[in-house]
Amino acid sequence: MLVSLLIIIYVTFIALGLPDSTLGSSFPAIAQNLGIPSNMAGYLAPVVSLGTVISSLLSDKLVRRFSTKWVTAISVLLTAIALLLFSFVTTDYVWAFFPIAIIMGLGAGAIDASLNNYVALHYKAIHMNWLHCSWGVGTTISPLIIGSFIDSENNSSGWNHGILTVSILLFAVSLMLFLTLPIWNKAKEIEDKRKVAAGEEKETESTTFGYASLFRNPVFYLAMVGFFCYCAMEGTTGLWLSTYLNHEKGLVTSLAATLGSTFYIGITAGRFVCGPLSLRLNEKTMIRIGETIALLGVILCLIPINEYFAIVGFVVTGLGCAPIYPAIIRSTPYRFSKEASQKAMGLEMAIAYLGNLSIPPLFAITAKSMGENYGILPYFTLILVCLMILCHETINWKLKRRDAHLSDEERDAYFSESN
């Protein structure tokens, strides 16, 4: 595949990460500035996730109808528009956060499902890890941008300028995607010629593979629950870490917003390291290593020494998260076949994002019922990590039994050169 297209996808993954940490890092300042409850972020996050679920479910049809390149470009543009509108919300129009959140989710879900499947089918594991490292760069940059605009003395003003800056960056990436659409066509031509020379069928963006086979597969449901737990863990921690540091550790909002990026710094650094490791270790091993480190990080968060030790714990948790998401994505064609991968990816992400739809508000409700006790965040994370480990180990056991009974022809449907 073209190196130029790979660079474009790297930049797009950075853009994909920018809005994911914007809400959580900015909301302590938003709540103070607009005079709204701090737990309102727990109700906005599931609205974003609702839009994500809808667009993820539609991703297969959208890709078949418009192709990955158009879905990607338009999705980034939608997210940029949503953040632009977000930055103009005032006290009298707080209700506008909710319809804007839907637009933000619609943009995020379609690009997530379509672009991840494209990379899983066309690129090696090292690129999947480094691409999601690029996503981590975006999620790390966003809180730093937000924190730099928040007035350290007022502790509330300036958040809108930070979000506006993130929006401008997304508009720039969207423009780049529209201007480079011909590169996608050239990459497809090169791939089709290679397949013809190798005696393989030309590739289509997606097939008409039915859902029935997926729904009859018990691995599908285990994968759904495992991905649900991962997204719930990452989403809840990313959303509430700044609030946790502000309320429980006594950090001022500007510092809490900036240090909210530590979790994503762990993810970003971990994915950079995981790139070369993925050349030697398979996806199953990468997931196991990640889950073990994440479990260790959560345990560190539970040790009550001081606020900085808790931050170290969240950095370690982020390091553990690093290989899990890319390895799950890369495993999708292997788990469900290359033909079913786009449909499986859309369903996988739609149901997984239900974790962001349900767990962050559940955390908010629980914390509020306990007297604004955001100190329960590490306990929430611990439960989700343990359940995720159980699901993935059960999947490994079932797939080992399946592979032992596959014929050579059947194996070709699940295994590719990039596996």
Side-chain angles (χ1 to χ4, degrees), residues 6-85:
L6 185 60
I7 294 172
I8 291 169
I9 296 175
Y10 269 108
V11 175
T12 305
F13 264 79
I14 294 175
L16 186 61
L18 285 171
D20 284 1
S21 57
T22 298
L23 182 61
S25 60
S26 63
F27 214 81
I30 292 174
Q32 288 188 30
N33 186 243
L34 301 184
I36 57 179
S38 59
N39 66 350
M40 185 176 172
Y43 302 105
L44 280 174
V47 176
V48 175
S49 297
L50 178 62
T52 304
V53 168
I54 293 171
S55 57
S56 294
L57 290 172
L58 294 174
S59 65
D60 180 64
K61 289 185 178 180
L62 290 172
V63 168
R64 282 194 284 118
R65 178 67 178 85
F66 301 106
S67 79
T68 302
K69 61 183 181 181
W70 282 105
V71 172
T72 300
I74 294 173
S75 295
V76 174
L77 179 60
L78 274 178
T79 308
I81 292 172
L83 286 178
L84 176 65
L85 296 173

Side-chain angles (χ1 to χ4, degrees), residues 109-159:
I111 185 176
D112 219 354
S114 59
L115 199 55
N116 271 301
N117 187 63
Y118 187 89
V119 175
L121 291 174
H122 293 89
Y123 293 100
K124 295 183 180 297
I126 186 172
H127 295 301
M128 180 65 80
N129 278 281
W130 281 352
L131 285 166
H132 283 275
C133 175
S134 298
W135 171 88
V137 170
T139 58
T140 302
I141 290 173
S142 186
L144 296 176
I145 293 173
I146 301 298
S148 67
F149 278 95
I150 295 175
D151 189 334
S152 59
E153 295 182 1
N154 190 11
N155 283 336
S156 62
S157 63
W159 61 268

Side-chain angles (χ1 to χ4, degrees), residues 121 333-334 336-342 412-417:
L121 291 174
Y334 162 64
F336 307 111
S337 84
K338 290 178 281 185
E339 185 183 20
S341 63
Q342 182 64 71
D412 186 60
Y414 293 96
F415 296 87
S416 65
E417 293 179 359

